[in-house]
Amino acid sequence: MAENIGIIAGGGQFPRLVAEKARAAGLGVVICGFQGHTDPSTMEHADAFELLHLGQLGRMISFFKEHHVTRACMAGSISKPKALDFRPDWRAAKLLFTLKKKGDDALLRAIMADIEKDGIRIVASADLAPGLRAPKGTLTRRAPTEEEWKDIRYGWPIARSMGTFDIGQCLIVREGMVMAVECLEGTDAAIERGAKLGGNGCVAIKMVKPGQDERVDLPSVGLATIRNLVEHHYAALAIQAEKTLFFDREEALALADEYGLAVVALPEDFA
């Protein structure tokens, strides 16, 4: 009997990609999705699928146990503004009551720990699809100019420091000044807001939060991100190598090359 892997599915294509990789590895696929977040077509890639409201922690664990899931992963995005429509069941409410901090990291760590109490081990979804991790180096034909490198060097430690406060993963810089910081609105909205303040030629920086549990919430970019950057006339994008998921990489980098957007993937200790 094949092992079943559980996927806690948010939005976007990541849950589908993880499901496909799991099937290719001979695993059964059991998916829990969330109303208003998970693409309905995700269920087509599952042997068993359940659609829940955010906060139905007890039901999710019961569903996984019903289908003999002993390992599970989190894949896909949760819209933070929509996440305010949180409907905790008794188990989730009890968990929330014990938390001193309710930022992304604190909440996700607590949820994972609670799931593992029932014998379901949480694993890194990125390890099931390792080809999505951005390789180190200049990924586009054009490297950043000297001025763009100055902005990247200026913003990189700020983005790292910002992450220690569990605020967001993306920072927008232009000419040695911070134009926008990602908060509740998400990366795309931060990119748009940064361009409104900074005009053409901004630099976007996205990196993992220091000490972040890599089983959840790794930073990600993709074709939609590049389109957004191009639309708002950005000069460069700097992401953290090996820790950032890069979806539709070939198509996204082709678009970046077409419009002269420089994309680089840098080590965490870049300075």
Side-chain angles (χ1 to χ4, degrees):
M1 180 178 177
E3 177 193 358
N4 286 341
I5 186 85
I7 300 176
I8 303 167
Q13 61 179 309
F14 194 23
R16 172 181 60 80
L17 294 173
V18 172
E20 289 174 351
K21 293 293 184 180
R23 281 188 182 282
L27 300 172
V29 176
V30 179
I31 299 178
C32 272
F34 301 101
Q35 293 188 26
H37 299 270
T38 308
D39 184 337
S41 67
T42 303
M43 68 183 299
E44 299 170 8
H45 303 274
D47 297 303
F49 182 86
E50 182 91 337
L51 189 65
L52 305 173
H53 288 290
L54 276 181
Q56 290 186 275
L57 179 59
R59 175 56 195 152
M60 180 177 69
I61 292 171
S62 295
F63 176 69
F64 281 156
K65 292 179 73 173
E66 287 167 13
H67 293 278
H68 310 291
V69 169
T70 56
R71 290 191 300 155
C73 64
M74 298 182 179
S77 59
I78 296 294
S79 168
K80 292 181 182 178
K82 288 183 180 179
L84 294 175
D85 182 25
F86 190 69
R87 308 183 189 183
D89 58 16
W90 69 268
R91 184 161 182 166
K94 182 180 177 182
L95 180 67
L96 287 171
F97 185 75
T98 65
L99 290 180
K100 294 180 180 179
K101 296 181 180 179
K102 293 183 173 62
D104 290 353
D105 287 355
L107 180 58
L108 290 171
R109 286 177 189 271
I111 290 171
M112 289 190 297
D114 204 55
I115 293 171
E116 289 189 326
K117 288 179 182 177
D118 278 75
I120 300 171
R121 184 164 61 93
I122 302 297
V123 298
S125 52
D127 289 346
L128 294 171
L132 292 175
R133 293 179 183 265
K136 179 182 174 182
T138 299
L139 306 182
T140 46
R141 289 198 296 263
R142 184 179 81 79
T145 65
E146 183 178 345
E147 291 302 313
E148 291 157 8
W149 275 122
K150 286 181 181 178
D151 276 344
I152 293 170
R153 291 190 178 93
Y154 167 75
W156 195 258
I158 297 175
R160 185 189 302 115
S161 297
M162 181 179 76
T164 63
F165 293 99
D166 197 10
I167 297 172
Q169 299 171 325
C170 183
L171 182 77
I172 310 302
V173 177
R174 183 159 183 232
E175 296 181 4
M177 294 181 288
V178 174
M179 296 291 112
V181 172
E182 178 190 352
C183 298
L184 185 67
E185 78 279 31
T187 298
D188 286 341
I191 288 170
E192 182 177 355
R193 181 158 48 86
K196 286 180 179 178
L197 293 170
N200 295 353
C202 289
V203 169
I205 297 168
K206 189 160 187 176
M207 64 186 304
V208 71
K209 300 171 187 176
Q212 183 170 316
D213 193 319
E214 291 188 27
R215 293 176 296 173
V216 293
D217 201 27
L218 283 178
S220 63
V221 296
L223 181 58
T225 312
I226 299 300
R227 283 175 176 157
N228 197 12
L229 293 167
V230 166
E231 180 183 349
H232 291 96
H233 307 287
Y234 272 67
L237 167 65
I239 58 178
Q240 189 171 344
E242 305 297 338
K243 300 291 181 72
T244 303
L245 304 176
F246 202 145
F247 298 101
D248 303 310
R249 190 189 310 167
E250 184 176 344
E251 189 177 356
L253 293 177
L255 181 64
D257 283 334
E258 181 181 352
Y259 287 91
L261 174 72
V263 180
V264 292
L266 307 170
E268 182 181 1
D269 59 359
F270 170 78

